[in-house]
C-alpha cells in the first residue's frame, strides 16, 4: 500500500509540473549584451572572463561580447568580476576587480579594460562558438561559419603556408562534438588571401576545412602505424620544371609521447592529402631528420636558396629543392659542434688558437639554449661563447626560448622572432616574446615580452 501511494504521488507531480492552470508558459527573454573593449583601441576583447557572485562564468567571444540571460538575475543589478590573460580591471576599495551593471532583456553594457600586453588580442581562429554571443545578441560577424566550422570544437597548434594561391592551414589533435577522441592525423583547411577576396587579417580568417562525410575536419596525413601523425616543417617549393609543390615532415607518436618514426611527406593536390616521400634512418630522437622541425622560411645564402627551420631559432637548413628536402644527408646545422659519426658526441669545433667556430656543417647537431647551458656547466664552453644570448631588454634576465617562428619583416627591416619562453614567471609555456636580429643566425640578444598568460599553455606562436 505504501508503494502504491508513492506511485500516485509521483504521477501527480509529473502531471502538474509542466504548467500551472490558467498561466501561459514563460517566454525566453532576450539576452543582455555585455561588450568588453580595449580602453586603448575601443575594440572588443575576446576571452575575458565575467563571473557573477555565485560563480556563473561567461567568456566573451571574438567581438568581446558576452550574452547574459541567467533566469532570476536578468533584470537585476548584477556584479561581474572581470579578468583576462594580459589585461586587467582596476580594484575597488575591497580589492575586487569587477563592475555591477543594471541588466535588462535586450539591453547593453560597455566595459573598458586595460591591456597590459604589448600585443593586442584580436580573435580566435578555430574551435566552437567563436562569435556565439554575438549571434545570440544580434551583432554582425565577419565569418561565414561564426559558431561551428568543420564540426571543430578545438585544435592543437598550427602550421600555415601559401600554396596554390591560398593559405593552407594544418593542425594537430582536433576535438569533435560527438566523442572525446577526435582527429589525430593532421586536419587541414584553406583560406583566401586578403588581396584575393579573403578577410582583412585585422578582422578574421575564414577557413574552409577538408571534411569527411559527416562534415568533420578529416585527416590529411594519416601515415601507417599506431598512434597520431603529426607534421612540422611545412614549406612550399618550386621544382626544376617550375611546378609548385608543398612538403612537410611527419612524426609517428606512441604513448606516452615518444617518436618512433620520422620522415618527409608531399601534398597530393588531386587527393588533398599528404603522401609519404621518405622515412629517415637512425633513432628518431637523434636522426638529422628530427631536426627538420618548426616553422620554415626561404632565404638565399651565398647564391643558394635554403629552407630554414625555426626550432625556435633558424639554426637548421636544407637546400630548397624537392630532392634535398627528402635527403636527410643534405641537412646542415649552424653549430659549434664538430661533425661526428656518433650523434651523441659533443666535441666542440675550435681553431688552432682555441677560438670556438660557428659555421654551417653537414652531419652535425645544432646547439639549443639548454645544450649551451650543459656545455657551460661542464666547462667545455665559456658563457660569452654561447651563440644564443636572449635577455629581457628591461631586466637583463635570461630568457629560454622554446617554440616560435622567424621571418624577415619589411617594416622593421630586420629578422623578427616571436617565441614562447619555457619556465616563465607566470606559466610554464605562456610568456610570448619578441626579438629581432640582422641575420637569421643572429646574434639574438635582447627580447621584449609582448603577451603573458597565467598558468596557461601558449606554446607554438606562428607569425
Amino acid at each position: 500500500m505504501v508503494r502504491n501511494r508513492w506511485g500516485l504521488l509521483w504521477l501527480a507531480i509529473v502531471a502538474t509540473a509542466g504548467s500551472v492552470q490558467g498561466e501561459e508558459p514563460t517566454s525566453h527573454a532576450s539576452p543582455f549584451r555585455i561588450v568588453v573593449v580595449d580602453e586603448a583601441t575601443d575594440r572588443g576583447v575576446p576571452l575575458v572572463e565575467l563571473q557573477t557572485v555565485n560563480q556563473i562564468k561567461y567568456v566573451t567571444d571574438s567581438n568581446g561580447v558576452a550574452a547574459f540571460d541567467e533566469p532570476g538575475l536578468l533584470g537585476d543589478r548584477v556584479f561581474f568580476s572581470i579578468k583576462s590573460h594580459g589585461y586587467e580591471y582596476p580594484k575597488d576599495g575591497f580589492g575586487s576587480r569587477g563592475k555591477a551593471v543594471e541588466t535588462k532583456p535586450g539591453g547593453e553594457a560597455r566595459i573598458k579594460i586595460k591591456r597590459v600586453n604589448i600585443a593586442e588580442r584580436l580573435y580566435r581562429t578555430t574551435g566552437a562558438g567563436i562569435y556565439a554571443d554575438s549571434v545570440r545578441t544580434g551583432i554582425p560577424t565577419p565569418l561565414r561559419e561564426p559558431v561551428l566550422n568543420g564540426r571543430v570544437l578545438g585544435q592543437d597548434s598550427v602550421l600555415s603556408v601559401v600554396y596554390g594561391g591560398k593559405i593552407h592551414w594544418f593542425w594537430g589533435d582536433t576535438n569533435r562534438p560527438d566523442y572525446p577522441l577526435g582527429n589525430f592525423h593532421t586536419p587541414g583547411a584553406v583560406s583566401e588571401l586578403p588581396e584575393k577576396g579573403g578577410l582583412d587579417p585585422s578582422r578574421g580568417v575564414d577557413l574552409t576545412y577538408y571534411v569527411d562525410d559527416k562534415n568533420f575536419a578529416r585527416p590529411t596525413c594519416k601515415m601507417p602505424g599506431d598512434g597520431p601523425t603529426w607534421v612540422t616543417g611545412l614549406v612550399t617549393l618550386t621544382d626544376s620544371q617550375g611546378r609548385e609543390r608543398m612538403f612537410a615532415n611527419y612524426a609517428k607518436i606512441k604513448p606516452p609521447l615518444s617518436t618512433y618514426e620520422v620522415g618527409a611527406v608531399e601534398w597530393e593536390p588531386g587527393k588533398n592529402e599528404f603522401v609519404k616521400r621518405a622515412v629517415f634512418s637512425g633513432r628518431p630522437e637523434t636522426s638529422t631528420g628530427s631536426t627538420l622541425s618548426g616553422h620554415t622560411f626561404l632565404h638565399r645564402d651565398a647564391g643558394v636558396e635554403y629552407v630554414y627551420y625555426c626550432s625556435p631559432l633558424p639554426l637548421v637548413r636544407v637546400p630548397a629543392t624537392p630532392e634535398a628536402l627528402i635527403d636527410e644527408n643534405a641537412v646542415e646545422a649552424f653549430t659549434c659542434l664538430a661533425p661526428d659519426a656518433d650523434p651523441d658526441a659533443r666535441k666542440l669545433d675550435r681553431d688552432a688558437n682555441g677560438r670556438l667556430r660557428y659555421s654551417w656543417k653537414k652531419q652535425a647537431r645544432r646547439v639549443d639554449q639548454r645544450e649551451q647551458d650543459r656545455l657551460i656547466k661542464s666547462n667545455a664552453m665559456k658563457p660569452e661563447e654561447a651563440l644564443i644570448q636572449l635577455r629581457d631588454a628591461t631586466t637583463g634576465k635570461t630568457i629560454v626560448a622554446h617554440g616560435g617562428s622567424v621571418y624577415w619583416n619589411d617594416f622593421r627591416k630586420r629578422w623578427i622572432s616571436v617565441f614562447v619562453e619555457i619556465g616563465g614567471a607566470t606559466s610554464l609555456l605562456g610568456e610570448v616574446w619578441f626579438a629581432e636580429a640582422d641575420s637569421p643566425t643572429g646574434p639574438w640578444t635582447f627580447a621584449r615580452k609582448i603577451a603573458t598568460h597565467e598558468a596557461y599553455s601558449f606554446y607554438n606562436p606562428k607569425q
Side-chain angles (χ1 to χ4, degrees), residues 89-110:
Y89 196 79
K91 293 180 180 180
D92 63 15
F94 294 98
S96 296
R97 297 183 185 271
K99 184 175 183 177
V101 295
E102 298 287 347
T103 68
K104 59 181 180 180
E108 178 181 302
R110 197 172 183 87

Side-chain angles (χ1 to χ4, degrees), residues 148-442:
L148 187 64
N149 191 359
R151 302 188 72 235
V152 168
L153 295 189
Q155 297 190 283
D156 180 14
S157 196
V158 70
L159 297 166
S160 63
V161 73
V162 177
Y163 169 77
K166 298 178 184 289
I167 305 174
H168 284 63
W169 306 80
F170 300 96
W171 295 269
D173 305 341
T174 295
N175 295 334
R176 59 180 176 174
D178 54 325
Y179 196 71
L181 297 179
N183 180 350
F184 299 96
H185 300 282
T186 315
V190 297
S191 68
E192 299 292 342
L193 290 162
E195 62 269 26
K196 295 185 178 180
L199 291 174
D200 185 287
S202 70
R203 298 183 61 215
V205 180
D206 240 338
L207 297 169
T208 301
Y209 282 95
Y210 298 108
V211 296
D212 59 20
D213 56 2
K214 295 182 179 179
N215 203 37
F216 176 53
R218 64 171 176 82
T220 66
C221 190
K222 192 171 184 178
M223 295 296 107
D226 296 333
T229 311
W230 295 343
V231 299
T232 185
L234 184 68
V235 64
T236 301
L237 300 178
T238 302
D239 67 16
S240 57
Q241 282 77 46
R243 296 176 300 170
E244 187 181 41
R245 298 165 68 177
M246 182 165 61
F247 291 86
N249 292 91
Y250 77 91
K252 293 295 295 183
I253 310 298
K254 62 182 179 181
L257 279 176
S258 62
T259 301
Y260 68 88
E261 181 181 295
V262 293
V265 291
E266 181 178 359
W267 186 252
E268 180 59 61
K271 299 179 179 179
N272 286 327
E273 64 184 21
F274 288 100
V275 295
K276 188 181 295 187
R277 288 290 181 252
V279 177
F280 296 139
S281 61
R283 303 202 315 272
E285 68 273 15
T286 59
S287 165
T288 54
S290 68
T291 65
L292 300 178
S293 62
H295 301 294
T296 67
F297 63 83
L298 299 178
H299 176 59
R300 190 170 293 275
D301 182 29
V304 178
E305 189 172 44
Y306 291 91
V307 181
Y308 287 74
Y309 296 81
C310 305
S311 187
L313 298 175
L315 304 180
V316 174
R317 71 184 187 184
V318 65
T321 67
E323 295 77 19
L325 218 63
I326 62 174
D327 179 7
E328 59 186 309
N329 294 317
V331 177
E332 300 178 7
F334 190 75
T335 182
C336 60
L337 298 177
D340 196 303
D342 179 3
D344 295 322
R346 290 295 183 266
K347 180 182 177 182
L348 296 182
D349 183 12
R350 295 188 180 275
D351 63 18
N353 296 318
R355 186 181 297 111
L356 195 61
R357 291 186 292 201
Y358 287 90
S359 61
W360 289 104
K361 305 179 182 78
K362 290 186 178 180
Q363 303 299 312
R365 298 289 303 281
R366 66 181 174 89
V367 177
D368 61 20
Q369 282 180 277
R370 282 172 285 187
E371 180 65 18
Q372 280 184 171
D373 289 342
R374 285 191 288 268
L375 291 168
I376 291 169
K377 288 177 182 178
S378 68
N379 295 319
M381 175 189 290
K382 297 177 182 178
E384 60 270 21
E385 292 180 317
L387 177 66
I388 306 168
Q389 299 275 358
L390 287 170
R391 298 285 189 275
D392 185 327
T394 303
T395 67
K397 172 183 172 290
T398 297
I399 306 300
V400 180
H402 181 264
S405 57
V406 174
Y407 292 96
W408 173 257
N409 187 282
D410 281 334
F411 178 74
R412 295 293 299 165
K413 302 299 180 186
R414 302 192 81 191
W415 293 90
I416 299 300
S417 173
V418 175
F419 65 90
V420 66
E421 175 187 9
I422 184 168
T426 62
S427 58
L428 178 65
L429 290 170
E431 305 300 271
V432 186
W433 295 76
F434 170 100
E436 55 186 23
D438 294 323
S439 77
T441 55

Side-chain angles (χ1 to χ4, degrees), residues 7 48 72 80 115 133 135 228 265 383 432:
V48 178
F80 295 93
R115 174 160 39 93
D133 294 81
V135 170
V265 291
V432 186

Side-chain angles (χ1 to χ4, degrees), residues 21-42:
Q21 187 175 359
E23 293 185 7
E24 293 294 326
T26 303
S27 62
H28 190 69
S30 300
F32 178 74
R33 181 192 301 135
I34 302 172
V35 185
V36 182
V37 300
D38 186 322
E39 69 175 16
T41 65
D42 207 40

Side-chain angles (χ1 to χ4, degrees), residues 119-132:
E120 181 181 358
R121 187 182 304 131
L122 298 182
Y123 48 79
R124 292 167 52 206
T125 55
T126 65
I130 293 176
Y131 287 100

